[in-house]
């Protein structure tokens, strides 16, 4: 008999119910099983609805629409049975009133149940919540002024189910802000102990009980695990759900594995079209609970200015999803690494199939256009910087369609749909499966500062195939480069990221240069590196990879007091030409910060430039190496500069907490414009 481990690696020997729909040979919605086998059934039970295809059985509360049980792979209920039924699998929002800063979590309990489609091959059901203006203030504080239609789909021969939701506001309804919108599942903590977010970010995890026994750190999400953990190997580690966040463009599949029996639970998000704020928006994935979720809208890493904010009386409608909740299993094995690899690789294969099958052809909603009712946009993106010889292709650039707006407005847009792709080595792009609508085309080019916007509006109609040909981005540029710091890539990853405190580490990221920024407490290293004087960077002598701290944070001065800091850039000029010099300044993040720029006078009042109070993305605290992107072209009169030594002072004036500050993306000083 062939070696079982080898067979597990090839995925050939599988238990009878394992990977039944995780095949690379057929796409979602197609079924290779005889019609009389594994037909989808719907059963009405007391206060519930059950969907069953003989492979997986899902129980919903009725009419609430919460997922209260998932039976699969020898486990009666994959969800946490110790939680109340409404806290297992659910859609929810966090809603804020216009007049009050009141955060109210609402799990959107349905009041009406409907069967949308029913056949042996597929059942789609609906749980509807209808807003009642007379109940705007309910027992829980607020009833969200939105109609919600939660949908679930189970198909024949599939070990998983789809879910999506339609949100609608009618004209005249109260305004407010939807802080968060997501779908989440809380699994059995006794069984699901291994979490996978990506190929390199996966591990056995502590439990919720371990966290409860731990020591809270600078904020409640960060906990130092102690010797009272159920697993001693976690003692001395920091657990924080934000350490497992990722950019939306990279959140395609993540989830949990139970080792006994071997079962995987995976959230697959095949499209980001209904998410907010573009491809670089960061969101939560899976974390201790065990919890897995798909986040569609949230202020994390962007701040409260970004999100679903509605004016009084504003009408709006949007469909979120579908996402696929995929389940897989494998035969028991003593080789845990092989077992994990098998389940994870199969989940990735299934994700690829879901992406290829998008847009799905089986969604029973007029708000979800099929592929033949969508359009596409193609072209080639070039870059023309007049101080860099030639016109060159924008390879690996992100090009997308989003609601009409100003340059870069896509990173704050949330109410519409967005469609993004990456250019090839020749700058070619093809944006497909675009919903009909009115868009602008935007782009962000790695290595090039600023944002691009195509000035002609894009109108997509069903079947549109718009070919733009070659379009050219002329990035911000006034004069020749005198010096530069960093890489223009919307991130602070290239700057100096210190080693974590040995007693405050997450072992997953130990020794990882790529993910070092995800360690807890790195901001506090600044005070150790610069105990008396702030950072001084000397152009021509300093190296930004070693000498430019990743975040300009506040300085601790005792008595629990934190104050702003002033960084210096010292540089030489062989001559000062008459005219206007330009400081191109890009920030990768800002949190309750105000950055002032002065030249050769640290105390000049007023400063040459001030951002004013900006940002609340909290990327410093949430282990993000970037948040919201900011960019300015700052004019410096030649009379402010000297032949010989010069200093630019960058003062972050706001203090109060150790987590305030900015992250830089890129700084460039340009000389006066040269005559053609």
């Amino acid at each position: 008999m062939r070696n079982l481990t080898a067979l597990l690696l090839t995925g050939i020997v599988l238990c009878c119910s394992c990977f039944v729909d995780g095949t690379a040979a057929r796409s979602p919605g197609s079924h290779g099983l005889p019609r009389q086998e594994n037909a989808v059934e719907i059963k009405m039970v007391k206060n519930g609805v059950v969907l069953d295809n003989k492979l997986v059985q899902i129980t919903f509360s009725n009419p609430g629409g919460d997922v209260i049980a998932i039976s699969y792979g020898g486990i009666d209920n994959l969800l946490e049975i110790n939680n109340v039924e409404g806290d297992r699998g659910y859609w929810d929002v966090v809603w804020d009133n216009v007049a009050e800063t009141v955060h109210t979590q609402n799990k959107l309990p349905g009041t009406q149940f409907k069967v949308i489609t029913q056949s042996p091959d597929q059942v789609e059901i609906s749980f509807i919540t209808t807003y009642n203006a007379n109940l705007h203030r309910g027992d829980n504080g607020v009833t969200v002024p939105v109609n919600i239609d939660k949908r679930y789909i189970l198909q024949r021969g599939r070990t998983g189910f789809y879910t999506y939701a339609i949100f609608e506001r009618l004209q005249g309804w109260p305004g407010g802000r939807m802080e968060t919108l997501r779908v989440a599942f809380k699994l059995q903590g006794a069984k699901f102990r291994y979490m996978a977010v990506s190929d390199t970010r996966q591990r056995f995890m502590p439990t919720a009980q371990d966290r409860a026994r731990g020591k809270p750190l600078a904020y409640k999400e960060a906990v130092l695990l102690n010797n009272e953990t159920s697993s001693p190997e976690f003692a001395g580690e920091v657990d924080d759900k934000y350490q497992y966040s990722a950019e939306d463009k990279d959140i395609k599949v993540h989830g949990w594995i139970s080792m006994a029996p071997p079962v995987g639970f995976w959230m697959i998000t095949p499209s980001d079209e209904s998410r907010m704020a573009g491809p670089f928006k960061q969101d939560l994935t899976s974390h201790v609970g065990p919890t897995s979720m798909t986040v569609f809208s949230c202020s994390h890493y962007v701040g409260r200015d970004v999100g679903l904010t509605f004016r009084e009386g504003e009408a709006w409608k949007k469909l979120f999803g579908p996402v696929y909740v995929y389940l897989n299993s494998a035969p028991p094995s003593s080789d845990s690494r092989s077992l994990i690899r098998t389940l994870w690789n199969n989940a990735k294969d299934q994700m690829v199939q879901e992406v290829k099958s998008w847009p799905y052809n089986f969604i029973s909603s007029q708000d979800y256009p099929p592929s033949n009712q969508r359009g596409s946009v193609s072209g080639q993106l070039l870059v023309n910087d007049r101080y860099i010889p030639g016109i060159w292709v924008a390879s690996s650039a992100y090009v997308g369609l989003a609601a009409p707006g100003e340059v870069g407005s896509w990173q704050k847009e949330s109410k519409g749909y967005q469609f993004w792709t990456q250019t090839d080595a020749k700058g070619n792009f093809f944006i497909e499966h675009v919903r009909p609508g009115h868009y602008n085309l935007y782009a962000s080019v790695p290595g090039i500062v600023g944002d691009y916007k195509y000035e002609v509006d894009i109108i997509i109609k069903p079947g549109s195939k718009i070919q733009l040909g070659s379009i050219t981005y002329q990035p911000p540029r006034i004069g020749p480069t005198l010096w530069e710091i960093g890489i223009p890539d919307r991130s602070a990853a290239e700057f100096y990221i210190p080693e974590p405190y040995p007693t405050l580490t997450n072992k997953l990221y130990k020794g990882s240069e790529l993910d070092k920024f995800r360690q807890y407490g790195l901001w506090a290293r600044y005070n150790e590196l610069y105990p008396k004087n702030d950072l001084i960077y000397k152009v021509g002598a300093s190296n930004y990879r070693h000498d430019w701290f990743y975040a300009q944070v506040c300085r601790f001065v005792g008595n629990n007091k934190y104050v702003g800091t002033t960084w210096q850039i010292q540089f030489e000029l062989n001559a000062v030409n008459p005219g206007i010099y330009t400081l191109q300044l890009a920030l990768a993040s800002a949190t309750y910060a105000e950055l002032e720029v002065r030249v050769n006078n640290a105390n000049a009042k007023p400063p040459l430039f001030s951002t004013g109070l900006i940002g609340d993305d909290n990327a410093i605290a949430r282990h993000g190496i970037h948040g919201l992107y900011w960019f300015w072209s700052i004019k410096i009169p030649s009379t402010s500069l000297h032949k010989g030594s010069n200093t630019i002072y960058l003062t972050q004036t706001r203090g109060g907490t150790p987590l305030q500050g900015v992250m830089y993306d890129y700084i460039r000083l340009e000389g006066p414009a040269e005559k053609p």
Side-chain angles (χ1 to χ4, degrees):
M1 184 175 179
R2 296 175 61 188
N3 181 272
L4 177 60
T5 301
L7 294 174
L8 282 169
L9 289 172
T10 60
I12 296 174
V13 171
L14 302 170
C15 62
C16 61
S17 65
C18 125
F19 304 158
V20 289
D21 72 322
T23 63
R26 71 174 189 275
S27 62
S30 62
H31 315 287
L33 299 174
R35 291 189 59 85
Q36 67 273 19
E37 295 182 10
N38 294 345
V40 184
E41 297 178 353
I42 181 169
K43 306 172 185 177
M44 306 302 297
V45 297
K46 184 179 180 181
N47 298 324
V49 179
V50 178
L51 297 185
D52 189 352
N53 66 1
K54 307 302 186 295
L55 300 173
V56 58
Q57 184 182 83
I58 311 151
T59 304
F60 306 88
S61 62
N62 185 13
D66 294 323
V67 182
I68 61 177
I70 302 172
S71 177
Y72 170 76
I75 303 176
D76 289 339
N77 192 353
L78 277 61
L79 304 181
E80 182 52 76
I81 56 177
N82 292 320
N83 287 8
V84 297
E85 291 186 348
D87 192 34
R88 298 178 184 178
Y90 53 86
W91 286 80
D92 76 340
V93 301
V94 175
W95 178 260
D96 297 349
N97 281 328
V98 171
E100 305 171 17
T101 308
V102 179
H103 301 294
T104 303
Q105 182 186 25
N106 192 311
K107 292 184 178 176
L108 314 172
T111 56
Q112 182 183 6
F113 165 72
K114 286 185 178 180
V115 177
I116 303 299
T117 61
Q118 183 176 5
S119 74
D121 289 329
Q122 173 174 308
V123 172
E124 178 171 348
I125 58 176
S126 164
F127 298 91
I128 298 171
T129 303
T130 303
Y131 172 65
N132 185 339
N134 295 325
L135 298 177
H136 182 53
R137 287 191 174 275
D139 293 338
N140 65 345
V142 175
T143 298
V144 180
V146 180
N147 287 339
I148 300 138
D149 185 353
K150 298 180 292 189
R151 302 284 186 94
Y152 300 93
I153 299 171
L154 182 63
Q155 296 176 330
R156 178 202 294 265
R158 309 292 306 282
T159 57
F161 61 95
Y162 297 90
T163 183
Y164 66 99
I166 305 161
F167 282 58
E168 182 177 22
R169 284 174 47 88
L170 301 183
Q171 189 171 358
W173 285 1
R177 183 173 185 276
M178 205 173 288
E179 172 82 12
T180 300
L181 192 163
R182 64 188 177 182
V183 57
F185 294 88
K186 298 180 178 179
L187 309 179
Q188 273 207 49
K191 292 188 176 295
F192 290 91
R193 297 295 306 274
Y194 192 89
M195 187 183 79
V197 174
S198 71
D199 284 336
T200 59
R201 300 171 67 194
Q202 49 182 269
R203 61 171 294 181
F204 284 99
M205 295 289 287
T207 66
Q209 291 74 26
D210 293 334
R211 280 184 56 88
R213 299 185 189 104
K215 176 185 177 181
L217 297 172
Y219 45 88
K220 65 179 181 179
E221 291 85 357
V223 171
L224 178 62
L225 305 176
N226 56 35
N227 291 324
E228 297 180 13
T229 61
S230 57
S231 301
E233 67 268 24
F234 300 124
E237 282 199 71
V238 171
D239 179 74
D240 184 344
K241 65 182 181 181
Y242 295 116
Q243 293 179 319
Y244 304 104
S245 297
E247 292 182 339
D248 283 349
K249 64 182 177 61
D250 300 322
I251 305 176
K252 296 298 183 185
V253 57
H254 61 92
W256 291 84
I257 291 174
S258 161
M259 305 302 292
V263 166
F265 181 101
W266 310 102
M267 298 292 293
I268 295 179
T269 307
S271 170
D272 293 330
E273 69 178 45
S274 56
R275 281 175 160 159
M276 63 179 277
F280 312 119
K281 169 70 170 69
Q282 297 166 91
D283 279 308
L284 295 173
T285 57
S286 293
H287 56 80
V288 165
T291 299
S292 281
M293 64 179 66
T294 294
V295 179
F296 294 101
S297 179
C298 184
S299 62
H300 291 158
Y301 302 97
V302 290
R304 288 178 56 82
D305 289 341
V306 182
L308 293 165
T309 300
F310 302 101
R311 303 182 306 274
E312 289 288 317
E314 181 180 358
W316 167 79
K317 191 176 188 181
K318 186 173 180 179
L319 183 149
F320 294 93
V323 297
Y324 186 44
V325 179
Y326 176 58
L327 314 173
N328 60 5
S329 59
S333 170
S334 59
D335 187 343
S336 61
R337 291 185 178 181
S338 175
L339 188 105
I340 290 166
R341 187 163 58 248
T342 299
L343 292 169
W344 170 243
N345 287 341
N346 175 261
K348 291 194 299 179
D349 290 343
Q350 186 63 38
M351 177 271 291
V352 170
Q353 290 304 310
E354 299 297 326
V355 171
K356 288 181 178 179
S357 301
W358 188 275
Y360 299 133
N361 60 7
F362 52 82
I363 304 300
S364 299
S365 172
Q366 295 180 349
D367 298 301
Y368 183 87
S371 57
N372 62 1
Q373 294 298 307
R374 298 182 179 227
S376 65
V377 178
S378 62
Q380 181 189 35
L381 182 62
L382 306 175
V383 175
N384 179 15
D385 183 327
R386 63 193 182 93
Y387 284 90
I388 300 176
I391 297 176
W392 41 287
V393 298
S395 61
S396 300
Y398 282 87
V399 182
L401 297 174
E406 302 299 321
V407 173
S409 61
W410 53 268
Q411 68 167 349
K412 294 185 177 182
E413 205 285 316
S414 59
K415 292 179 182 176
Y417 300 92
Q418 297 199 25
F419 303 86
W420 289 83
T421 192
Q422 201 167 11
T423 60
D424 64 15
K426 297 182 179 180
N428 298 311
F429 61 88
F430 179 55
I431 306 172
E432 58 183 340
H433 309 317
V434 183
R435 288 168 167 265
H438 185 186
Y439 301 93
N440 281 156
L441 184 138
Y442 305 92
S444 177
V445 184
I448 301 297
V449 75
D451 274 292
Y452 172 74
K453 174 191 170 185
Y454 184 61
E455 290 304 323
V456 179
D457 289 0
I458 304 291
I459 307 298
I460 298 293
K461 299 179 180 179
S464 292
K465 296 181 179 179
I466 298 175
Q467 298 178 340
L468 298 179
S470 296
I471 57 178
T472 303
Y473 174 36
Q474 294 182 317
R477 169 72 76 172
I478 301 298
T481 299
L482 301 181
W483 51 258
E484 58 187 348
I485 300 172
I487 301 170
D489 60 0
R490 312 177 82 94
S491 165
E494 69 270 26
F495 298 124
Y496 177 69
I497 300 172
E499 293 298 320
Y501 290 96
T503 57
L504 295 172
T505 61
N506 182 320
K507 292 178 182 177
L508 176 62
Y509 303 124
K510 190 174 182 179
S512 170
E513 290 300 315
L514 182 64
D515 289 309
K516 185 193 289 186
F517 67 88
R518 301 185 190 279
Q519 295 281 14
Y520 174 85
L522 300 180
W523 58 83
R525 290 292 200 188
Y526 179 79
N527 284 274
E528 299 174 0
L529 291 168
Y530 305 95
K532 295 181 179 180
N533 300 308
D534 286 324
L535 182 150
I536 298 175
Y537 186 91
K538 297 181 179 181
V539 174
S542 300
N543 182 329
Y544 64 77
R545 296 189 182 277
H546 306 292
D547 302 316
W548 191 274
F549 199 71
Y550 80 103
Q552 185 172 357
V553 293
C554 296
R555 174 181 295 283
F556 179 66
V557 293
N559 296 322
N560 201 31
K561 184 178 180 180
Y562 293 85
V563 299
T565 54
T566 296
W567 290 9
Q568 299 180 38
I569 304 173
Q570 298 179 354
F571 60 98
E572 300 288 321
L573 290 177
N574 294 328
V576 177
N577 298 319
I580 299 297
Y581 288 68
T582 304
L583 187 70
Q584 307 287 12
L585 176 63
L587 297 182
S589 169
T591 300
Y592 304 113
E594 180 175 3
L595 188 65
E596 295 180 347
V597 179
R598 294 175 173 84
V599 178
N600 287 326
N601 183 349
N603 300 310
K605 293 183 180 181
L608 175 68
F609 171 83
S610 174
T611 63
L613 180 62
I614 58 171
D616 63 338
D617 61 40
N618 278 326
I620 295 171
R622 290 176 174 143
H623 321 294
I625 201 59
H626 71 85
L628 207 61
Y629 181 74
W630 305 80
F631 175 75
W632 300 272
S633 294
I634 303 168
K635 295 179 180 180
I636 302 176
S638 58
T639 54
S640 298
L641 297 168
H642 312 308
K643 180 181 178 180
S645 298
N646 293 266
T647 302
I648 290 177
Y649 299 92
L650 302 173
T651 300
Q652 198 295 101
T653 66
R654 305 287 177 139
T657 78
L659 304 175
Q660 288 174 257
V662 299
M663 296 185 195
Y664 293 90
D665 170 41
Y666 178 70
I667 305 174
R668 181 173 74 214
L669 181 65
E670 299 174 2
E674 298 175 348
K675 294 181 179 180

